[in-house]
Structures are given as structure tokens and as C-alpha cells.
Amino acid sequence: MITDAKIDIITLTNGLRIVCKQREGLVSYIGAVLNAGSRDEASDREGLAHFVEHTIFKGTDKRRAWQISSRMETVGGELNAYTSKEETLIYTNAPAGYEDRALELLSDLITSSRFPENEIEREREVVVEEIYSYLDTPSERVFDEFEELAYKGSGLSHNILGTPESVRELRGKDCREFLDKFYVPGNIVIYCVTPIPDDKMIRKVEKYFGSMKPGQDLHRRVTPPPMEFFDETRGSENHQANTIMGARIFGRNDERRFGLFLLNNYLAGPCLNSKLNHELREKRGLVYAVDSSVSLLSDAGLLTIYFGCDPSNVKKCRRLIEKEIDILCQQRLSPQSFEKVKKQYCGQLLATSDHIESRAMSLGKSVLYFGKIHDISTTAERIMEVTAEEMREAAELLSGNLLSTLTLA
């Protein structure tokens, strides 16, 4: 497990931040977390952040696409990336001893990508096929369509992938402009979890990233307007109805989030003993899957409950979910039950911390968003301090007309 003890965080003179954690092992995990995502795109460039994440691997001043893709793989490592609404993460893992190779490659991608048009044209169709694949999966599509309604009127409302039409309009110069605007030191955190001493790793990062020009913070993020209540059913040629019930909530810095995390886990977290899994699946056999999730951004968030069922059972499932939320709003859990809820959640935190690559990424994201490390032990301590009243108050965020619904059926 990676803990907060002896984790070094430094800022270079150009504004780039570095977080290092020496850890015994045979693998090094190194990546770049960037404060840039789909909400930072211009309204006529939907899908650009994700498209940049794809095409950044298609050529630099000194490498062709095949040289980039094989650079880490030839030593048994990996190079990959993902994009969200507020971040892009480019990451590597490789056997210990190849830290310079990983850092040099990340630096080359971030500073010297040139987006050759022939590669852009090929990758454009790859992304379009990714969009079509997603559109053919209603259990995933319903989440994005719910967010379109929940964040209507803001840069958070559109799909991260964009549309086939918007992607086909993107050009290499658009990618270059986005990279020059947002891939600047002040928006980047480099994380390193390796067997190498921290001071030595910091010098390595400075070697490859210290010469980057500071750049300017050009974020102009606008908090989305309040969510308007909606209750919609949209046609979908599927045997199963896919439904999202949810509400807008606060952002990631709000202290109420800890009570919300417990509520989310209790309602329909990953464990089979969650309340809604028991009521909808185990007790009545109405659904195959029911899940709740919390998505917190810098200035807004969502708590959503998803279930898939026969179209004839949608209303019944909704009533059962609303009933359970109303019960939680009206009364606190007993002290014994609430202690079990907290212990279960803390146990899950501990179990997930054993995945080293995910924890390494979390280090970088924690520094990017909070400027410090929110480690497992600190989070667990805060969870154990949450009161039953705080969880009850979190349930009130989902009560009454605050709970909107979208069904694809």
C-alpha cells in the first residue's frame, strides 16, 4: 500500500509539480496527469480533448507512430492514456530500470507532438468507430445522455468522445492548439512510484521537463447552471430498459462528500449486500444489475443510481428506490448498523489500495486537485468520523423533486 509517509511533492520553477514515492518492487509506474478535459473544449470542437489523447501517439518531431507505440512495449512495459471531463492522464509502467525511457517518452509526447495529417485521418475513423460502439451500448449511453440533461447549458453536458460529425471536423492544427493551450507545466503533475530514491527521481523528471516554458493558465471554466428537474423516456431498440435516477450535488472539495460516499456505498455500491441490490435483485428478481455512483468535479457533481430491467418493471423499481431513499431521509441507521456501513467502506478502501498502478495514479490526481496527498488512512479516518445524521442529510439530496430520471426503453 502507498501511504502518505515520506511522499515528496515539489514544484519546479516552471510550475510543473512532481510527486514521488519510493517503493520496493520490480515495476515502475510513471505518468502525467493534466488538468484538461472535455469541458475545456470550444463549443464547436466537441471531442477534441479525447482526440488529442488518441493522436498524441501518432508522431513527434523525432518519432513516428510505430516508434512511439513500441517504445515501452519492447521492454515489456505499457503506454496508455484516458480522458475525462476535467483531466487527461498519460501513463506508463515498465520493469524497474527504464525510468528514463518512460520520462523521456512522456516529455516527447507532451512537448513535441506534431499531429501528422495522414495519421490524423486514420485515427479519426478509429474514434468514430469507438463512438458507434458506445452508441450500441445503451447501458453506457444512458449515463452520457443523463449528463447532457443534468449539465445542460455548460461545457460538461456533451459526450467526452464527441459525435461522428464533430470528430470528422477536427484537424491537426486544432490538436496542436489545444495541446499548446492546456499542456503547460502549471496544468501538469508528474507522478513516479518506483524503486528509485525520490531525490534521484525528481532530478530525472527535472531533466526531461524542467526546460518546458511556464505557459499561462487559460482555463475559463464556468460553473454549470442549476439542474432542471426532468423525467424522460427515450426510445431504444433493446429488450431491456436502462434507467438512471440521480441528482446534482456539490463539487469534490465539499466536506459533505464523506457522508455521501457512505450513502452511495450503502445504497448500491460494489458489494452484493447493498440495500438496493437486496431489494431489487435478491428479494424480488427485478434486475440483473443496480449500481449507484458518485462523480465529483471541481465545481459540481452527480449522484446517480442505474438499473436495467424489463420495461414493464421500470415504474416498480423506481418506486422501490424512492421508498428506500425516503426511509433514509426520515430516520438514521441504528448505531450498530451504521458502524458496519463505515467498516465495510473502509475495508473496501484498503482492498483497492493494493492495486499499485491505480494508487500511483491517485497520487498524481490528488496533487493536481488538492495540492496534497489524500491517502487511504486519512480518508478512512475521516469516514469513521462521519455521523449517521450526515449520511441522512446526504440522502436528502436525492429526495423529492431533486431526483431526476432518464430511461432508454
Side-chain angles (χ1 to χ4, degrees), residues 217-237:
D217 183 1
L218 297 175
H219 281 96
R220 295 293 183 270
R221 291 174 176 169
V222 177
T223 299
M227 174 176 161
E228 297 180 4
F229 174 80
F230 56 87
D231 187 348
E232 291 191 18
T233 298
R234 298 178 178 180
S236 179
E237 297 179 0

Side-chain angles (χ1 to χ4, degrees), residues 20 99 192 194 196-205:
C20 292
E99 294 79 16
C192 306
T194 75
I196 308 298
D198 292 354
D199 57 346
K200 187 174 182 179
M201 280 306 304
I202 289 170
R203 289 195 296 271
K204 289 179 182 291
V205 176

Side-chain angles (χ1 to χ4, degrees), residues 41 44-52 117 120-121 124 127 161 163 165-175:
E41 302 158 352
D44 60 347
R45 293 291 184 272
E46 291 184 5
L48 178 56
H50 174 258
F51 196 58
V52 169
E117 286 299 334
I120 290 285
E121 289 303 317
R124 189 191 322 279
V127 174
L161 303 181
T163 66
E165 294 75 21
S166 68
V167 169
R168 289 195 171 107
E169 292 296 318
L170 300 177
R171 297 292 179 267
K173 65 179 181 65
D174 300 313
C175 298

